[in-house]
Amino acid sequence: KALFPSPSMTYFQNVVVGCASDAATAVADKGSQFLQKLLECSALDSDIDQTTYADQLSQWQGYNDTLASQILTAQNINYNQVLAVENEMIKFYNLKKETLETYVITSRGLAFYLNRMYSYLSDYYNTVTETSFDNPGGSACIASATASLQSVVNSVARQSLSCDQDIVNNTKHMMCQITGDFSSLNSLMPSIGNAALLNCTARGYIFAPNTIANCFNLVSWQFDIEYTNRNGDISKNVAVLTDYVQTFFSGSDLPCGGSTLKSAYLSAEVALYNLQRCIYITSGTVYSVTTPQPNTTPQSTNEFK
């Protein structure tokens, strides 16, 4: 972390700014003496309006030495700017560090989701198997029901894989994007703060009231605009990454959400209903197909850890 205040800037303030203030004060004193001489000389010439010189002398305020206070105010503004960026960077890099150290940012693969769906629909497969034992003549119906369940498994697994890959790719992309945003802000740092103050001083913004402050504010405002724009993107991406960590990398084994599993169970219910109907049509008897109680809450997995 950079020293605050900067040792070199402290020297600049003590020596250079002190010298400039002394010089400005001396110039102001000479100006006051000059006005006094003009007033005294005006008494020697009746054509000269002494009132004018007297008014000017009475209004002469001398040199109001605010150079040091202007620099201090500007440095405090800059310190808060840098601190805001620093806090956001620390927040992001802690999240990035924790994520990369705890989880593997890679796709789980299709086989993982196929296995998960076989597990979720295992009761439905068992029901079809038991039905085949009780009704050996309904092989065509059994085959159709099994194919329907397999279609559900394949469809949800592929859908989950697609969501999985989107999350993994988005995670990598957003981490790079956030790093790039911070790099852009850091590249602006050398042009603000003490560097801006020194540049303003070198351009002659010294003696008139608030000129250092006004010059610095122009640079500071430009940085604030850039920071506001960048920070909006950073905050949005960090929020998404945090949600990924809490819900996907360390949470649900179905990345498309709980509605995916509910939809799978609904399709499985339809498969059992069609099995019951098929057996009735082929055998002429009403055959009861026991429907298992579905678990509609996706389970947690440690596959990413």
Side-chain angles (χ1 to χ4, degrees):
K1 185 176 180 178
L3 294 176
F4 184 83
S6 164
S8 59
M9 195 61 183
T10 300
Y11 177 83
F12 173 80
Q13 288 179 249
N14 292 339
V15 178
V16 180
V17 174
C19 180
S21 296
D22 291 342
T25 301
V27 170
D29 289 343
K30 291 295 183 181
S32 177
Q33 294 174 18
F34 178 69
L35 286 175
Q36 182 64 43
K37 293 295 184 182
L38 287 177
L39 179 61
E40 293 173 355
C41 290
S42 66
L44 302 176
D45 190 340
S46 59
D47 294 331
I48 298 177
D49 185 1
Q50 295 186 44
T51 305
T52 300
Y53 288 112
D55 289 342
Q56 290 182 1
L57 183 60
S58 65
Q59 294 173 12
W60 178 255
Q61 301 295 323
Y63 174 62
N64 183 16
D65 186 7
T66 62
L67 191 56
S69 62
Q70 289 180 67
I71 290 177
L72 179 60
T73 299
Q75 286 179 321
N76 287 332
I77 292 173
N78 175 248
Y79 178 79
N80 291 330
Q81 289 174 320
V82 173
L83 186 63
V85 176
E86 184 180 80
N87 287 338
E88 289 296 325
M89 287 181 64
I90 291 174
K91 178 182 176 182
F92 165 64
Y93 284 117
N94 282 340
L95 172 64
K96 183 177 180 180
K97 176 176 178 291
E98 179 183 354
T99 302
L100 294 178
E101 287 182 349
T102 308
Y103 310 104
V104 179
I105 312 302
T106 187
S107 173
R108 295 166 176 168
L110 181 61
F112 171 84
Y113 294 108
L114 287 172
N115 289 334
R116 296 309 302 149
M117 288 311 302
Y118 282 132
S119 175
Y120 279 122
L121 298 185
S122 60
D123 287 341
Y124 289 89
Y125 276 101
N126 292 337
T127 297
V128 172
T129 300
E130 292 173 6
T131 302
S132 68
F133 293 150
D134 296 338
N135 191 57
S139 58
C141 297
I142 297 299
S144 177
T146 302
S148 295
L149 290 178
Q150 186 62 49
S151 177
V152 174
V153 168
N154 292 341
S155 175
V156 175
R158 289 193 178 93
Q159 182 183 357
S160 297
L161 178 63
S162 178
C163 292
D164 167 310
Q165 292 171 336
D166 286 343
I167 290 175
V168 169
N169 291 334
N170 285 343
T171 297
K172 295 178 180 178
H173 174 72
M174 285 188 292
M175 283 185 174
C176 291
Q177 189 175 43
I178 294 172
T179 300
D181 285 332
F182 278 125
S183 295
S184 296
L185 290 176
N186 286 334
S187 69
L188 299 176
M189 293 296 183
S191 64
I192 63 175
N194 290 332
L197 290 171
L198 293 173
N199 184 48
C200 290
T201 303
R203 292 164 63 185
Y205 290 98
I206 297 179
F207 301 116
N210 294 325
T211 48
I212 286 287
N214 292 336
C215 176
F216 173 81
N217 284 338
L218 293 177
V219 178
S220 177
W221 292 337
Q222 290 174 349
F223 177 81
D224 283 342
I225 292 172
E226 183 68 17
Y227 172 73
T228 299
N229 293 336
R230 295 278 182 180
N231 191 55
D233 293 336
I234 291 171
S235 298
K236 179 181 67 177
N237 287 335
V238 167
V240 173
L241 286 176
T242 302
D243 181 67
Y244 283 168
V245 170
Q246 294 174 348
T247 61
F248 175 65
F249 292 112
S250 60
S252 172
D253 56 0
L254 293 180
C256 295
S259 61
T260 303
L261 189 56
K262 292 180 180 179
S263 177
Y265 281 133
L266 174 60
S267 297
E269 292 286 344
V270 172
L272 292 189
Y273 171 79
N274 289 337
L275 172 60
Q276 183 184 44
R277 182 171 178 272
C278 180
I279 291 176
Y280 173 76
I281 292 174
T282 57
S283 66
T285 60
V286 177
Y287 186 83
S288 176
V289 177
T290 302
T291 301
Q293 184 66 33
N295 173 20
T296 58
T297 303
Q299 299 175 6
S300 296
T301 178
N302 293 324
E303 287 290 324
F304 261 95
K305 293 187 177 181

